[in-house]
Amino acid sequence: MKQKLVVLTGAGISAESGLKTFRDSDGLWEGYDINDVATPEAWERNPALVQEFYNMRRKQVLEAEPNAAHYALAKLEEKYDVTIVTQNIDDLHERAGSTNVVHLHGIITRSQSSKNPRLTYPIKGWELRMGELCRLGSQLRPHVVWFGEMVPMIEPAAKICSQAEVFILVGSSLAVYPASGLINYVPGNVPRYIVDPKIPAVYGVPDLIKIEEKATIGLPVLVDELMK
Ligand code: APR
């Protein structure tokens, strides 16, 4: 039986692949106010703009490559039963070889029915166009969780965290609820590591092992340690 190792990742792990984090960019996301592009209200007001914004993000993701941190996490599967819970909408963990990835906030390479969020499809290429419909006849939107929407994967993710035997947090400011609460589900006797060049404030979790480094530097070293 392999030990259960759970990793919670955020935008910081993909920063060195060229995908900008949200909170390191003055509260703007690639120059956009999130209220204009990442809320259900934005979609109601101007679906074409939202679609265009995510088409650009998808293009960027498809052109990006996994980095040493993504690959280090994939390597852990040789010794551990690894689950990655990611807040990221990119597919870089999968492309680095991780086989068990839970996407809390959806994934940009899939589309979603605007009538039924459970109806999702793969997107061919980088562009999702207005006029492309789901089988119920409603417009397809990006399969991402917007601000103000429910996070359907939060309950399975909380259960996964509650069963962790080793826990690693990488590259998240823990500023966004409910993902920020997941670390509190990890049992108290479990080794808990944080890898981030700017360690976020974590409340109510003692004995955190803090590795104040960029993901591509800190994670390969930590993974080497854990593989011994
Ligand atoms: N390596 C590791 N961590 C890094 C690096 C790096 N090279 N560069 C930056 N970071 C850290 C920052 O110090 C910060 O703690 O990554 C974190 C990025 O924080 P956020 O931008 O807030 O990203 P995240 O926590 O994933 O945001 C959560 O908010 O934008 C929404 O829905 C979106 O999933 C996202 C959610």
Side-chain angles (χ1 to χ4, degrees):
M1 280 285 278
K2 289 177 170 175
Q3 259 194 318
K4 285 189 197 305
L5 186 150
V6 177
V7 193
L8 176 59
T9 68
I13 195 166
S14 296
E16 292 164 88
S17 291
L19 304 176
K20 278 203 190 113
T21 67
F22 174 60
R23 280 166 198 85
D24 291 321
S25 348
D26 303 326
L28 293 181
W29 191 5
E30 296 286 350
Y32 287 79
D33 184 327
I34 54 146
N35 294 305
D36 293 334
V37 290
T39 62
E41 293 76 20
W43 176 251
E44 286 295 316
R45 262 194 320 268
N46 193 345
L49 173 77
V50 173
Q51 203 78 282
E52 185 56 27
F53 172 76
Y54 281 96
N55 282 343
M56 289 302 127
R57 303 284 75 73
R58 192 175 301 108
K59 197 160 185 278
Q60 246 176 3
V61 164
L62 295 178
E63 284 165 5
E65 297 290 341
N67 64 48
H70 298 103
Y71 286 113
L73 292 181
K75 189 164 175 243
L76 282 170
E77 291 189 15
E78 291 168 18
K79 182 169 170 193
Y80 295 90
D81 175 2
V82 180
T83 308
I84 296 181
V85 177
T86 187
Q87 297 167 79
N88 299 344
I89 57 174
D90 66 57
D91 62 350
L92 296 181
H93 285 303
E94 287 89 345
R95 283 201 264 143
S98 286
T99 59
N100 194 10
V101 186
V102 174
H103 280 271
L104 270 184
H105 296 159
I107 186 160
I108 198 168
T109 52
R110 294 186 77 82
S111 63
Q112 173 182 316
S113 161
S114 44
K115 214 173 233 165
N116 177 357
R118 281 183 307 232
L119 209 52
T120 71
Y121 305 90
I123 299 173
K124 290 188 197 83
W126 61 275
E127 206 176 9
L128 180 60
R129 294 194 191 89
M130 296 307 292
E132 287 188 59
L133 307 179
C134 74
R135 66 170 166 77
L136 304 172
S138 67
Q139 175 63 46
L140 286 170
R141 53 166 270 187
H143 175 45
V144 299
V145 175
W146 287 325
F147 290 92
E149 290 191 312
M150 304 272 284
V151 181
M153 294 309 287
I154 196 71
E155 274 186 34
K159 186 164 180 216
I160 289 161
C161 289
S162 73
Q163 294 170 344
E165 293 171 289
V166 182
F167 179 82
I168 308 172
L169 171 71
V170 193
S172 176
S173 63
L174 294 181
V176 171
Y177 181 84
S180 55
L182 284 174
I183 193 167
N184 300 103
Y185 286 88
V186 178
N189 58 342
V190 159
R192 285 158 297 185
Y193 302 88
I194 296 198
V195 182
D196 197 306
K198 226 168 89 191
I199 303 283
V202 185
Y203 300 101
V205 184
D207 304 329
L208 280 169
I209 304 159
K210 296 172 185 162
I211 301 169
E212 203 159 351
E213 296 276 8
K214 287 184 172 182
T216 60
I217 306 289
L219 259 187
V221 175
L222 173 59
V223 167
D224 278 350
E225 262 320 293
L226 291 169
M227 294 297 285
K228 279 183 188 157

